[in-house]
Every structure is written in C-alpha cells, then in structure tokens.
Amino acid sequence: MTVLTLLAVILILGLLLGLPVFMSLGVATCVALLVSDVPLTMFPQVLFRGVDQFPLLAIPCFILAGSLMESGGVTRQIIDVVGKPAGRIYGGLGVTTILACMFFSAISGSGPGTTAAVGSLMIPAMIRQGYGRDYAGAVASSGGTLGILIPPSNPMIIYGVIANVSITGMFLAGIIPGLMIGLSHCFVAWYVGKRCNFRGSGEEFKIRSFLQACWRGKWSLATPFIVLGGIYAGIVTPVEASVIAVFWGFLVGGLINRQLNWPKILQALTDAVLVAGTVIIIVGTSTLYGQLLAMEQAPQKLANAILTISQDWYFVLLLLIGVFFFLGMFMETLSTIIILTPVLLPVVTKLGIDPIHFGIIFIVTNEVAFLTPPLGVNLFVATKLANVSLERLSIHVLPHILAIAICILILAYFPQISLWLPHLIGYGK
Amino acid sequence: MIKRVWTTVYEEFEKYFCAYLMIILVVTLGLQVFFRYVLDASLTWSEELSRFAFIWCIYMGASLAVKQEMHVRVTAQYIVVPKKIRFFVWMLSDIVWGSFNILFAIQGVFIVEHAFRFKEITPALGWSAAWLYMVIPGGFILMTLRMIQLYYRGFKNGTWRNLVKVGVS
C-alpha cells in the first residue's frame, strides 16, 4: 500500500470508528511515518510548531470577547434596537432574530455561538407571541449561520492561516455576501411568517423610541465599529483587534452594564480554552498530515484528476460545492476547512479561481453544514432552546437552506461580489 | 483545607490552569497593543509569551475537553450500529485514542530531553525550550488520565451508557 492510500484509509477508518478528528489525523500520520521510516519524534515537534502561529491567537480571543459580551447584556440591547422597526410586519420577531444575528455576527466569529446568544432570548419571546416552535428554532439556527460569514469569523482566520491569504482581505470579502444572505434569511422569515399568519409585536414604529433604544445601547452598538473599524482601516492586525474586543467586552459588560461576575468570566475563559483544545488542536495534528500529503503530491494528483473531468472553473466549483454539502452533513465546519484547504487550494488556483473567492464560497457552503443533520451544530443548539425534535427542525430550516443555496450559486458565478471590497481597499490582486 | 485543594486539583485543574493562561495571554497582548499604539514603543517579549500561553492552552484545553466530553468527533455512523454494541465500539475508539495519547507522550518526552541536552533557548524570552515542550507529553498523558477517570466513574455509578454521545439526546 502506498503512503497516500494509507493516509486516506486510516483517516477515514479513524473517523468512522468515532475517534476525535484530531486523533484520526494523528493516528494516520503516525502510521505513515512508521511506514516511510521517518523518526516518530518529528510528530510532537510539529504538534508544537504547527500551532505556533501568531494569527491563530485571534480565535480564542474572539470567542472570549463574544462570550463576555453575551453575558454582559450586549445581546439584549442589540435586540431592543433592531426589534423596533420590525414590530408591525409579518414574522416581525423572526426578522428581528435574523437582524440581531447579523449584528451579533459582527462581534462573534462562531455559528453556534451566535445561535445560542440570540436564540436564548428570541426563541422564548417568539413562542410567547404564539409563533410555532419549529419556526422559532429554524429562524434562530439559520440566523446563527451568519456568525461565520459576517466578520470577524473563526473559519476565515483558519482558512487565512492555512491558505496563506490575508485575513483582513477575507474579512472584507465576507461583508457583502454576509449582508446578502442575511437579507435573504429576513425575506424567508417574513414570507413563512406571512404564510403562517405570525404577527409582529404590533408596536408602531416611532423614530423617538428607536433613537432612545439606540442611545441606551450605544456602547453595545459601537462594538462592531470598534472591533472591525481598526482592521479595515489597516491600523491593527486581526489579533490586536480581537484583544481590543476582549477589553471592550469586559468594559461594556462589566463596568457599564455591570452584569459580569467571576463565574461568568470563568465560563467565558473556559469557552475560549475549549475551542483551542478541541478545534485548534486539529490544526496541530493536521500540519504534518498535510505535509505528508504534499510530499506524496496528493494535491497535484487530485488537481489532474479533476481537470480531466472538466476544465471549466464554474463547473468544478459547483462540483466542490456539492462535495462540501455532502461532507457538511457529517463533519464539523472547522475540521472540514483544516483538512481540505491544503488539498484543494492548488486545484482551484490552477483553474484561476481567486483564493479569497474560493474561501468565501467554502465558508458559505459550511453555513449549510450547520443546518444539515445528522451533524448540524446550530440545529442542536436550537432544538434545546425551542424544545422541538431534530427531525421537525431540519424540515423547517429547508426554506432557509434553499435561500443560502441560491445565494451560493450567485456568489460562485460572480466573484466580483466577494472580491470587490478587498480589491477596492487593496487586498488580494 | 488540604482535601479541598486536592478536590479542586483532581476535578478542575486544567480548567483553572487554562483560565489563568488565557488571562496571561489577553493581558500580555493588551500590553502589547497599549505600548504600540499609545506609548509608541514596542515590547520584544509579549508576542512570544502570548504564543506560548496559547500553545499550552491548546494541549491542556484538550484534556479539559476530554473531561467535559466536548471533543469533535463524527458520530452519525453510530445510528446504524445496534444499540447493544454501541458502547463497546465507543470504548474501543477511546482505547485506541488513549493508547495513541501515550505513544505521543513518549515521543514528546524525547523532544523535551533533546531540548534539555542541547540547551535550546527561546529567542525573545531566553527561556529553556524544554520546559515549554513539556506540555506535549503532559497534555497527552492528562488526556488519558481524564479518560480513565470518566470510565471509572461511569462503571462505578452505572452511568457508563451515557458516555456514548451520538447526535442530540
């Protein structure tokens, strides 16, 4: 058996047995090293060096900032503001949920995190208002997917590190697709709300009360501008911005809203550490795995195989999107990105696809992965909050998945939508 | 008192350890930002210290994640495994995992020893790298210990069936 088949077969066997993703990669790497007579001590060395990458520090910091702001009452204030204009329309609370998710996504970089933050407040509110439980859960879990597309975004940071693409460029590229998909979710929430005759709170829209809510929540509302403004202006790096976000979250939640205490802070710290220990560790074990694949020329072989099927970039992209949809049913988002990016990047660049454009498509398709059973993390969060079964919820998110799918086709065919902003500011080509 | 300290260590050592590492990480980076943008001077050691805190967070956090059963696994295939043998397949995967942990830990000891022997020094802080590498053997050994603890409790309290986490409960 060649080293290449060994790497692939053992990885798949490990995953099927139920080994954690990082361990499946580790076991496959180890066996391959033994077979090819490389000293095994190389492995722990790469475990250390592979994660010794400064940009990755932004991930736990953004998680920490998100948790601090959530428990510091920031979400509540955001909902108060975005809920005002949506009071009178059909599915008003659903639209509010999506808008709040969009806003919270500009603070947090995680999908399930956004679902939990906004859903824990909005799902009970929707159920009280007489909206269906399925509707409430579906809206919150779909809105939460925006967490990884609207910057900051953890998958974008990982992708940027692995693909050697500017993270700021990725953050810029995510804005327009994020708004586009957010608005399409709003449309679905409104349309389904109208079909089911779910009414808004009935509160009339008054500029005065809207401005009052804005003023009350001014510190929370300023967060995205504080966090992202510096990155976009090119003043701070993503890591520095993530640290500023932590201090800002601490300031707003602790000193202004006065809602933080030591247990909440400890929980936020633990959230950040757990992401490091469960996800970033995958970067560690996958580094050597990726290097072995490269030594065996796997990316080139795969590229040649795909190019014999088709030379048309759009067709290949659609093919890959199909693969991501399928994998997304079983695999966790960040694991997919860590494992596939090094293999696929040579393929797409050979076809002339911009790495930033590909990254956005990759991340948008992973939004769907949050919503498709059997492994759909956002669904898991929402089933608990709305107290509905996974089966019913996964049927009710279908209109939302359709909306994302249509957006993906458009985004894939028009790279300008993603690339316009980064090129305007001078990232990418 | 001693008993209480022991219980905290026994139950939540990684949690507190990592929480403080995370605080060190954030404060160091915060200082770096402050020095760079407010005082217009740069710190030479902050980036290295925060990176080391981060790496320690990863491998100690992995052990915390074993205790909290939070690791990322693909579990959809368990739906087709008959309920009666699910637990045994799951335990088999944990045994494989636990044994490889020990293998990695042993390999980790070699790099620690190597770094001691050649007196490897970190560039900015001038620390002995061997101490930093200790997180690799340490983290992997702790992971296996936490796993044994989970199974021991599972068997003792008769809750071993709950160790299998397939999809949503």
Side-chain angles (χ1 to χ4, degrees):
Chain A
M1 223 190 301
T2 66
V3 175
L4 198 56
T5 34
L6 209 60
L7 280 169
V9 169
I10 296 179
L11 174 68
I12 292 169
L13 280 181
L15 291 174
L16 279 180
L17 184 62
L19 279 179
V21 177
F22 90 92
M23 222 350 136
S24 310
L25 287 161
V27 172
T29 311
C30 250
V31 176
L33 286 180
L34 284 174
V35 170
S36 45
D37 275 336
V38 181
L40 220 49
T41 40
M42 217 180 136
F43 187 66
Q45 259 160 8
V46 179
L47 280 183
F48 198 89
R49 296 265 168 260
V51 290
D52 192 5
Q53 305 203 51
F54 194 60
L56 288 179
L57 269 71
I59 294 174
C61 290
F62 274 127
I63 299 271
L64 176 58
S67 310
L68 283 178
M69 292 196 219
E70 192 206 334
S71 42
V74 170
T75 331
R76 174 86 265 167
Q77 287 173 329
I78 292 173
I79 290 173
D80 277 349
V81 172
V82 296
K84 294 286 179 200
R88 299 264 284 180
I89 59 173
Y90 281 105
L93 291 180
V95 176
T96 307
T97 309
I98 303 283
L99 290 174
C101 284
M102 286 169 73
F103 209 97
F104 196 78
S105 302
I107 298 174
S108 146
S110 122
T114 307
T115 306
V118 177
S120 58
L121 293 172
M122 287 308 291
I123 288 176
M126 282 190 267
I127 293 172
R128 268 201 306 279
Q129 188 79 14
Y131 287 33
R133 284 173 183 277
D134 318 308
Y135 176 82
V139 168
S141 41
S142 335
T145 62
L146 293 166
I148 60 165
L149 183 58
I150 297 183
S153 150
N154 296 334
M156 283 185 194
I157 298 171
I158 296 250
Y159 178 82
V161 169
I162 296 177
N164 204 7
V165 172
S166 152
I167 295 169
T168 308
M170 287 298 292
F171 279 10
L172 281 164
I175 299 178
I176 296 176
L179 293 177
M180 192 173 133
I181 292 185
L183 293 179
S184 67
H185 280 320
C186 282
F187 175 78
V188 174
W190 167 79
Y191 184 75
V192 178
K194 194 175 170 195
R195 288 278 301 270
C196 305
N197 202 20
F198 296 145
R199 305 222 171 230
S201 59
E203 189 187 335
E204 210 173 315
F205 178 62
K206 290 203 190 83
I207 281 286
R208 207 184 138 79
S209 71
F210 177 68
L211 290 179
Q212 275 172 347
C214 283
W215 181 248
R216 269 197 308 275
K218 56 184 176 301
W219 298 105
S220 309
L221 292 180
T223 313
F225 303 98
I226 303 259
V227 176
L228 295 171
I231 304 184
Y232 290 151
I235 306 171
V236 299
T237 64
V239 176
E240 290 168 337
S242 70
V243 176
I244 295 172
V246 172
F247 282 98
W248 181 256
F250 187 73
L251 194 78
V252 175
L255 300 178
I256 296 171
N257 293 349
R258 294 187 173 279
Q259 294 192 7
L260 287 176
N261 48 23
W262 172 240
K264 280 183 182 171
I265 294 172
L266 183 65
Q267 185 53 50
L269 290 168
T270 312
D271 287 347
V273 169
L274 282 172
V275 169
T278 57
V279 177
I280 301 178
I281 194 172
I282 303 175
V283 178
T285 50
S286 74
T287 308
L288 195 52
Y289 188 86
Q291 286 169 358
L292 287 174
L293 282 184
M295 262 178 349
E296 297 294 319
Q297 301 199 314
Q300 290 85 333
K301 284 177 187 161
L302 184 70
N304 291 338
I306 290 179
L307 290 179
T308 52
I309 303 173
S310 169
Q311 302 260 1
D312 179 43
W313 68 272
Y314 190 61
F315 180 79
V316 172
L317 205 51
L318 287 182
L319 200 74
L320 292 177
I321 290 170
V323 173
F324 299 155
F325 265 59
F326 178 73
L327 285 177
M329 289 159 63
F330 311 98
M331 293 274 291
E332 193 265 347
T333 316
L334 284 167
S335 331
T336 324
I337 292 179
I338 297 168
I339 297 175
L340 289 186
T341 303
V343 192
L344 292 179
L345 205 66
V347 181
V348 295
T349 44
K350 215 170 189 175
L351 282 162
I353 302 173
D354 190 297
I356 293 188
H357 175 223
F358 176 67
I360 294 296
I361 298 298
F362 203 170
I363 283 159
V364 181
T365 37
N366 268 303
E367 282 194 60
V368 179
F370 282 137
L371 299 177
T372 45
L375 182 81
V377 197
N378 280 18
L379 294 181
F380 294 170
V381 176
T383 45
K384 281 182 193 131
L385 292 171
N387 199 16
V388 285
S389 72
L390 188 64
E391 289 81 5
R392 277 178 61 189
L393 195 56
S394 41
I395 292 169
H396 279 81
V397 292
L398 284 177
H400 290 277
I401 294 182
L402 183 68
I404 303 180
I406 293 170
C407 290
I408 291 177
L409 293 181
I410 299 171
L411 286 171
Y413 195 71
F414 298 103
Q416 302 91 319
I417 303 175
S418 329
L419 296 177
W420 180 68
L421 255 184
H423 285 184
L424 189 71
I425 315 252
Y427 288 91
K429 268 177 237 166
Chain B
M1 178 64 194
I2 291 170
K3 199 172 172 220
R4 228 182 67 202
V5 172
W6 169 245
T7 325
T8 317
V9 171
Y10 185 61
E11 295 294 338
E12 313 208 85
F13 167 68
E14 296 97 326
K15 187 170 168 180
Y16 285 99
F17 188 77
C18 290
Y20 288 116
L21 279 177
M22 211 42 221
I23 294 176
I24 293 175
L25 190 160
V26 167
V27 171
T28 321
L29 284 176
L31 277 176
Q32 183 180 329
V33 171
F34 182 75
F35 268 79
R36 196 168 144 199
Y37 294 101
V38 183
L39 304 182
D40 208 17
S42 53
L43 297 175
T44 48
W45 48 270
S46 55
E47 188 181 315
E48 204 174 273
L49 180 61
S50 58
R51 273 193 348 248
F52 292 150
F54 173 65
I55 297 170
W56 274 66
C57 263
I58 294 172
Y59 292 103
M60 298 303 275
S63 172
L64 176 66
V66 171
K67 174 128 202 298
Q68 305 207 351
E69 300 174 75
M70 296 275 288
H71 269 287
V72 181
R73 327 165 81 132
V74 181
T75 53
Q77 72 281 16
Y78 273 76
I79 295 166
V80 295
V81 177
K83 276 207 169 106
K84 275 185 186 158
I85 61 166
R86 257 184 215 177
F87 173 77
F88 298 100
V89 182
W90 188 271
M91 196 162 115
L92 177 67
S93 82
D94 278 348
I95 290 172
V96 174
W97 178 7
S99 337
F100 270 88
N101 280 345
I102 293 171
L103 177 67
F104 294 165
I106 294 170
Q107 297 302 322
V109 171
F110 291 145
I111 63 165
V112 172
E113 188 208 30
H114 186 270
F116 265 127
R117 192 146 20 107
F118 291 91
K119 300 203 169 44
E120 207 179 308
I121 298 288
T122 67
L125 292 161
W127 290 356
S128 161
W131 291 94
L132 295 167
Y133 291 154
M134 277 185 187
V135 73
I136 304 284
F140 280 96
I141 283 288
L142 268 178
M143 256 191 264
T144 298
L145 290 179
R146 286 295 179 199
M147 220 177 270
I148 294 170
Q149 188 186 32
L150 271 183
Y151 276 89
Y152 173 73
R153 293 216 170 132
F155 287 126
K156 201 173 112 190
N157 305 333
T159 53
W160 46 274
R161 274 195 193 83
N162 301 340
L163 288 171
V164 184
K165 298 263 182 291
V166 177
V168 70
S169 50

